[in-house]
Amino acid sequence: MGRQPCCDKVGLKKGPWTAEEDRKLINFILTNGQCCWRAVPKLAGLLRCGKSCRLRWTNYLRPDLKRGLLSEQEEQLVIDLHAQLGNRWSKIASHLPGRTDNEIKNHWNTHIKKKLKKMGIDPLTHKPISTTNDEAQPQQQKQHQLAQDQQEQQEQEQHQSFQTNPKSEIDQKEESDTSTTIIEDKIITNPLDPMELINGFCTDEVPMIEPLEILIPCAPSSSTCSSSSSSSNSSNFLEDLKLPDFEWSCTFDCNDSSNNNSCSRNMGWDGTDFCNWDLLINEEDFDKKQIFDTPLINQYPRMVMDQESWAYGLF
DNA sequence: AAGACTGACAACCGCATCGAA
DNA sequence: TTTCGATGCGGTTGTCAGTCT
């Protein structure tokens, strides 16, 4: 007797999400917050299982997601973290603000693995590939696994000691001269990283969003939004919607050296994110906004530009 | 021009884990 | 303490655009 399926699969839709489904899900979460994923599809009027909704939200609809290729820095961080954590993608993702475990996992499998192999580094062990002694590989893997297990055990022990004596744990970690510092299974990669600072959580630790807690950044004054044609009237656009009230506030000033714009951020919402949402939320205005004329779309050449799948190009 | 192949990534599946009853 | 439902996580698969032949 197997485990019961997470949901009644009869009549449930599978496959790519449509814009309409995205809109329903976003509207629902904006009005109700994230709660009880199993109930979400029913309440939101979606023929999807809760799991699918959760995945869609966390991986693609969440407003605090960065899109596009990982930067060099991010890539290097992923490599460093993978060396320490192995395939624990969610842990790795939690140290890259705006990135999801799925995204990192895919990027690892499609880009980084190859890159490392090209450089003569075994992506599994992060050690130079021994070309002369292929049979040594399995042994190496075993050793890597052993090392990982030992590290895990150490982490657990350290965690325990941290609970009893947190200061000594931090002191220990401060002695490390590596660029990344693990504190209670959390790697502080950049002490100035806003995502690390804001509210003490990062992307993968996004708290339940309640409508009243959603803070929309100040309307970008000029060029912060890549979708300029749609950004210009984003507030009006939102007002047109019967969406929950938003609080337009400047809670966090980020001094972007590139454009010197002071913008508001909360949970990683920035001008671009918001503009994307702007496009997504109300597909009735879809034609009016002519979003496909915008440079944003050109960033995603793979996207199919029809109404069904336009959402994919928006983030 | 068309079919085959490849790469990238979105989405699914099933097991693990957590927490409430 | 046990059971069970909900959610999280990592591996795998499916789909589609781009490239090659």
Side-chain angles (χ1 to χ4, degrees):
Chain A
M1 206 173 99
R3 182 189 171 87
Q4 274 196 330
C6 70
C7 47
D8 180 9
K9 300 197 173 179
V10 180
L12 287 187
K13 194 167 176 292
K14 281 166 71 171
W17 280 65
T18 64
E20 172 66 13
E21 287 176 313
D22 283 343
R23 194 177 57 81
K24 281 181 179 174
L25 183 58
I26 289 171
N27 282 344
F28 178 81
I29 291 175
L30 284 181
T31 36
N32 300 284
Q34 287 180 62
C35 67
C36 191
W37 285 109
R38 182 172 281 223
V40 166
K42 215 174 215 174
L43 297 171
L46 290 163
L47 289 170
R48 296 273 181 177
C49 78
K51 220 173 181 177
S52 183
C53 293
R54 182 177 61 81
L55 211 63
R56 183 68 184 166
W57 174 257
T58 53
N59 283 344
Y60 303 99
L61 300 180
R62 243 169 48 190
D64 58 326
L65 292 178
K66 279 186 203 169
R67 304 300 292 180
L69 285 175
L70 271 71
S71 67
E72 284 285 322
Q73 271 186 329
E74 286 177 314
E75 211 167 76
Q76 189 53 51
L77 182 56
V78 169
I79 294 167
D80 291 344
L81 289 164
H82 187 271
Q84 297 176 52
L85 301 168
N87 290 2
R88 285 188 271 180
W89 304 115
S90 62
K91 283 251 179 358
I92 293 172
S94 69
H95 302 296
L96 283 106
R99 302 292 185 184
T100 68
D101 54 351
N102 207 32
E103 190 179 12
I104 291 169
K105 182 172 60 183
N106 283 334
H107 190 78
W108 176 268
N109 287 328
T110 54
H111 294 103
I112 302 178
K113 251 184 177 178
K114 283 180 204 164
K115 216 175 185 177
L116 289 177
K117 278 179 184 170
K118 240 181 186 174
M119 293 161 66
I121 297 169
D122 184 352
L124 197 67
T125 61
H126 294 266
K127 289 173 184 167
I129 296 169
S130 142
T131 50
T132 54
N133 192 2
D134 285 340
E135 62 268 26
Q137 275 310 101
Q139 183 64 29
Q140 221 175 10
Q141 287 175 11
K142 277 183 193 169
Q143 285 176 351
H144 178 66
Q145 182 63 43
L146 195 68
Q148 264 194 2
D149 290 344
Q150 284 173 347
Q151 193 195 335
E152 259 181 42
Q153 204 178 337
Q154 271 183 352
E155 276 178 25
Q156 274 183 350
E157 284 168 11
Q158 285 170 357
H159 181 77
Q160 281 167 2
S161 79
F162 179 78
Q163 287 178 326
T164 52
N165 189 1
K167 186 169 188 304
S168 66
E169 167 72 9
I170 293 169
D171 289 346
Q172 263 185 359
K173 296 300 178 187
E174 282 179 345
E175 281 168 18
S176 158
D177 60 353
T178 55
S179 58
T180 56
T181 305
I182 300 179
I183 295 175
E184 201 187 1
D185 207 12
K186 193 165 181 73
I187 300 179
I188 309 294
T189 55
N190 175 1
L192 297 176
D193 185 342
M195 287 305 294
E196 290 286 348
L197 297 173
I198 299 167
N199 301 335
F201 57 77
C202 46
T203 313
D204 237 43
E205 296 162 341
V206 175
M208 303 277 260
I209 300 173
E210 297 300 335
L212 291 173
E213 293 170 0
I214 294 174
L215 300 179
I216 303 298
C218 291
S221 56
S222 59
S223 61
T224 51
C225 179
S226 53
S227 172
S228 56
S229 67
S230 60
S231 67
S232 58
N233 60 350
S234 55
S235 59
N236 293 339
F237 184 42
L238 265 186
E239 282 165 12
D240 289 341
L241 296 169
K242 302 294 179 271
L243 290 174
D245 292 335
F246 290 119
E247 182 184 348
W248 291 74
S249 66
C250 288
T251 55
F252 178 78
D253 283 332
C254 56
N255 294 315
D256 187 340
S257 58
S258 61
N259 59 12
N260 290 323
N261 278 343
S262 185
C263 61
S264 158
R265 275 187 172 264
N266 193 314
M267 286 173 47
W269 291 58
D270 62 19
T272 307
D273 296 333
F274 184 54
C275 292
N276 293 341
W277 265 52
D278 181 15
L279 297 170
L280 184 86
I281 289 166
N282 191 346
E283 67 177 4
E284 283 159 21
D285 284 343
F286 183 80
D287 291 331
K288 291 182 221 161
K289 301 181 82 63
Q290 298 178 325
I291 63 165
F292 293 147
D293 292 341
T294 69
L296 175 68
I297 296 306
N298 297 330
Q299 293 169 18
Y300 303 94
R302 284 191 60 224
M303 302 312 168
V304 180
M305 298 311 177
D306 59 20
Q307 192 153 349
E308 283 292 289
S309 54
W310 62 273
Y312 300 115
L314 297 177
F315 295 93

